Amino acid sequence: MKKVIKFTEACSVIFIAMLFMLLTQVAPANAAGKIPLNTTDIAIESGKTYTISNKEELLNFAEIARTGANFQGSTVELLSDITVVEGQISHMGETGKYSPTLNGKNITDASAITWWQPIATHNGQTTGTFSGIFEGNNHAISGLVFDSDSGDEYALFGRCDGAVIRNVTVENFYFRGANCAGICAVAWNGTVIENCHAIDGILANRGYSGGILGKTVNTWGDSNAITRIENCTSRCQILEGCYHTAGKSESFNSGGIVGQCTNTVVKNCINYSTISGSENIGLIVGYAGEGVTVENCSNTGEAFGTDYKNRVVGSQDDTGEHVHVFSTTYTYDDNTHYYLCGCGQKSQQAKHIYNTAKDLVLVQPTLLQTGKMQRTCSVCGAKVYSIMETTGSYTLDMDMNRADVVIVDGNTIRIEPKLSYVITDMYLNGMELPLGQPIKLKDGDVVKVVIYGEEDDKPSAANITKTIKGVQATTIKASTSAVKGKIKVAWKKSAGYKVDYFQVFRSTKKTTGYGTKPFYQTKTGKATYYNNTKSLKKGTRYYYKVRGVRVLDGKRYYTRWSNIANRTAL
């Protein structure tokens, strides 16, 4: 049976549903599942994302954060550019107060415009902090105005506690009070401000003010938390010494980026602001306490303090505590690049990264000579010169005390005997060479040069015959071992007579198939093994035999064959 709902009953159902929505105080989510801040009656939950698309939602956000919701664990996204007060904002210019103007006219009635109350601030009876993530999506907020003889903490955000603020520009704004800034007035416990910009702003204040951040405080919670201000820009008028009920004489601790800080890194920031005051007035930082580092920050603004101007850090002088102020350009050595403080401390040291497309060979390497290459680091631009190894190697068997090696070109040598010595024989890979001729080499060649002097006795025919017979009587014992993809053939020659090199023969049959050409020939007579890795077939048994070779008067003489050693390829 179908249930029929009468009109009055349907109205009751609708009313109950509407009442339920009001009581639960949940704003409808947008298409992306994000919640617009279109009312102040929203219960803020960790893990949720809230959005701001217009002036009213921005004002709602500020009020919610001022009255207790800290947005910890949640994200607030700015989805469009927002203007709070239309028109050009400036100041009257009178010394001591610098009253605000709108389109050139003094603002005498605060009710005539929307007076800005910062997001999460301590002012009068309201107390709040912002601990979430604010994602500006590279949008701009403009037209923020507040003028006070007694208040403090004026900025886009009043107080932040471990928050992240990024990718937002605040422009065409005016704040008068204490602890003023474009982005955040007071930051607690490791707040991070990234890619934020304060443009065409006026900070008429009594101190503790900066274009991006007024001051840091680490006196509760994690006292070692590091506040980070990175990739930010400030182009403001920072006017200290303005009238304030707390004392007009207070005129200190203001900077182009941050006014006063401890445990803070200011990195990759640019200041265009003009800052005026008395004590601790700095282009980047006004007053720096413990644990402050300024890295790769640049400036085109001016900072005027009592009896000084244009200090990067206003509190840093010859007698004060040292604050690292790192260079804005890289210093480099042969292997690394880094930013350098005047004290010698290095920051962001890293190895060069080379762009191979820019490698320039200055000297080509050869078999006999190393080359030279110029390499360019793609990060710091350093040009580093490196040695290019020779293209191969050769073996020279010669008494170096009896002759000199002259390099004719990159691959050719000539052997020149020293005074009272004579070259009697020259061999290239066992083949006799004409005496006195240049020797053109390739990788792996073996050159043997026989040199006699007056102190030597020329060997007799009988001695040569004896040597030949001794070589021919020399025995060799061979053995094999195998691992996957390799058979090692090792041998040991009997003592008595040396050889110039060894020949290794291979077959898949024990008694035949070795051929007349060696499978492998060593470069010297000092070799004791050969690793056979080529032309191996798994499961096939291979047979090896070895003999030594001695070259005398251009002729080859051989030792006895070794025993036949065999092994199956794995």
Side-chain angles (χ1 to χ4, degrees):
M1 177 181 295
K2 294 184 180 179
K3 182 178 181 181
V4 179
I5 302 177
K6 296 182 179 180
F7 176 77
T8 54
E9 185 180 358
C11 290
S12 299
V13 171
I14 294 171
F15 173 78
I16 292 171
M18 293 177 63
L19 180 61
F20 177 78
M21 289 183 64
L22 290 173
L23 291 175
T24 54
Q25 299 180 350
V26 176
N30 59 24
K34 301 175 182 179
I35 304 169
L37 294 174
N38 52 18
T39 174
T40 57
D41 295 326
I42 295 178
I44 303 302
E45 298 180 46
S46 178
K48 295 293 181 66
T49 297
Y50 302 88
T51 61
I52 300 170
S53 300
N54 52 51
K55 171 181 172 180
E56 288 68 27
E57 291 178 352
L58 176 64
L59 297 176
N60 288 342
F61 172 40
E63 182 177 345
I64 293 170
R66 281 197 307 274
T67 55
N70 65 9
F71 288 82
Q72 187 170 15
S74 60
T75 300
V76 179
E77 287 193 13
L78 184 62
L79 301 183
S80 63
D81 294 346
I82 295 176
T83 300
V84 176
V85 174
E86 300 281 354
Q88 182 61 46
I89 297 169
S90 187
H91 63 84
M92 290 294 291
E94 69 264 34
T95 302
K97 187 171 183 181
Y98 300 99
S99 298
T101 65
L102 180 61
N103 296 326
K105 295 183 179 180
N106 193 12
I107 300 175
T108 56
D109 184 1
S111 64
I113 64 172
T114 301
W115 216 245
W116 175 247
Q117 294 287 353
I119 303 162
T121 189
H122 174 79
N123 187 19
Q125 299 301 314
T126 61
T127 300
T129 60
F130 179 72
S131 300
I133 297 173
F134 181 82
E135 174 55 67
N137 290 315
N138 296 315
H139 289 298
I141 297 174
S142 62
L144 304 182
V145 181
F146 196 91
D147 183 32
S148 173
D149 287 340
S150 59
D152 60 10
E153 299 181 8
Y154 293 112
L156 175 64
F157 288 82
R159 288 188 177 186
C160 290
D161 184 5
V164 175
I165 306 171
R166 61 192 180 208
N167 305 321
V168 65
T169 296
V170 180
E171 59 187 13
N172 188 33
F173 62 91
Y174 173 99
F175 298 129
R176 183 170 71 91
N179 302 335
C180 298
I183 304 299
C184 177
V186 179
W188 302 72
N189 303 313
T191 290
V192 176
I193 303 175
E194 300 176 319
N195 192 34
C196 293
H197 313 283
I199 307 297
D200 298 332
I202 298 164
L203 304 173
N205 62 87
R206 68 180 182 94
Y208 308 104
S209 298
I212 302 299
L213 174 64
K215 68 178 181 180
T216 64
V217 179
N218 290 323
T219 55
W220 73 31
D222 184 0
S223 61
N224 295 317
I226 303 298
T227 298
R228 302 188 69 87
I229 306 171
E230 298 189 19
N231 304 308
C232 294
T233 304
S234 170
R235 188 174 69 221
C236 303
Q237 296 181 61
I238 303 175
L239 308 167
E240 283 207 343
C242 299
Y243 175 76
H244 195 281
T245 55
K248 181 179 176 179
S249 62
E250 293 186 13
S251 180
F252 48 77
N253 297 6
S254 289
I257 301 298
V258 57
Q260 173 177 299
C261 58
T262 56
N263 295 335
T264 299
V265 174
V266 185
K267 180 178 177 181
N268 300 333
C269 293
I270 305 174
N271 174 57
Y272 301 96
S273 300
T274 299
I275 313 101
S276 62
S278 56
E279 298 178 16
N280 303 334
I281 310 301
L283 294 165
I284 304 298
V285 177
Y287 177 85
E290 294 182 357
V292 175
T293 298
V294 177
E295 298 186 16
N296 192 34
C297 293
S298 59
N299 170 79
T300 59
E302 290 188 288
F304 299 90
T306 303
D307 298 328
Y308 68 88
K309 66 177 291 187
N310 292 344
R311 286 180 179 171
V312 174
V313 179
S315 60
Q316 184 175 354
D317 55 28
D318 294 338
T319 59
E321 180 181 358
H322 180 70
V323 176
H324 292 310
V325 178
F326 292 102
S327 59
T328 58
T329 57
Y330 279 110
T331 299
Y332 56 83
D333 53 34
D334 287 344
N335 300 308
T336 64
H337 49 253
Y338 44 85
Y339 295 112
L340 187 65
C341 179
C343 71
Q345 181 72 26
K346 298 175 182 178
S347 172
Q348 300 184 58
Q349 186 171 16
K351 291 183 177 180
H352 292 310
I353 299 174
Y354 295 111
N355 182 352
T356 55
K358 293 186 177 181
D359 286 348
L360 179 62
V361 177
L362 303 177
V363 179
Q364 286 285 357
T366 66
L367 178 67
L368 302 173
Q369 295 172 319
T370 58
K372 185 177 182 181
M373 177 185 289
Q374 175 184 284
R375 312 201 71 188
T376 302
C377 177
S378 60
V379 177
C380 70
K383 296 187 183 303
V384 179
Y385 299 94
S386 62
I387 299 298
M388 303 176 67
E389 296 297 326
T390 56
T391 57
S393 63
Y394 73 102
T395 301
L396 178 60
D397 183 1
M398 183 183 80
D399 187 343
M400 302 301 293
N401 294 317
R402 296 188 172 193
D404 295 318
V405 179
V406 177
I407 297 176
V408 178
D409 59 38
N411 297 304
T412 306
I413 61 173
R414 186 174 66 250
I415 308 299
E416 294 185 352
K418 295 182 179 180
L419 187 64
S420 77
Y421 291 98
V422 176
I423 297 175
T424 60
D425 299 280
M426 289 200 310
Y427 304 94
L428 176 61
N429 300 324
M431 299 298 295
E432 188 173 3
L433 296 174
L435 299 180
Q437 295 297 313
I439 306 170
K440 189 169 184 178
L441 301 168
K442 61 182 183 297
D443 184 28
D445 280 347
V446 178
V447 177
K448 180 178 181 180
V449 182
V450 180
I451 307 169
Y452 284 93
E454 295 177 355
E455 67 272 27
D456 296 326
D457 292 328
K458 193 165 183 70
S460 64
N463 286 337
I464 293 176
T465 300
K466 180 180 178 182
T467 300
I468 293 171
K469 290 182 177 180
V471 169
Q472 293 173 336
T474 298
T475 61
I476 297 175
K477 184 177 181 180
S479 62
T480 57
S481 61
V483 296
K484 185 177 180 181
K486 180 176 72 174
I487 296 177
K488 181 178 180 180
V489 183
W491 57 84
K492 184 175 182 181
K493 181 181 70 69
S494 62
Y497 292 89
K498 71 175 184 177
V499 297
D500 294 312
Y501 53 90
F502 292 92
Q503 293 177 335
V504 179
F505 289 76
R506 190 186 81 169
S507 177
T508 56
K509 299 179 181 179
K510 183 175 181 180
T511 59
T512 61
Y514 292 97
T516 59
K517 185 178 179 180
F519 184 75
Y520 177 76
Q521 182 171 292
T522 67
K523 296 178 181 179
T524 72
K526 296 181 180 179
T528 58
Y529 69 92
Y530 161 60
N531 287 323
N532 180 195
T533 58
K534 68 178 182 178
S535 303
L536 290 177
K537 185 177 180 180
K538 183 179 178 181
T540 299
R541 182 172 293 275
Y542 294 92
Y543 298 88
Y544 300 88
K545 60 181 181 179
V546 182
R547 68 181 179 183
V549 182
R550 178 73 178 270
V551 180
L552 295 170
D553 291 333
K555 295 182 180 180
R556 296 185 182 90
Y557 298 93
Y558 302 100
T559 67
R560 292 182 179 181
W561 284 108
S562 72
N563 58 299
I564 295 175
N566 67 88
R567 189 66 57 173
T568 299
L570 301 179

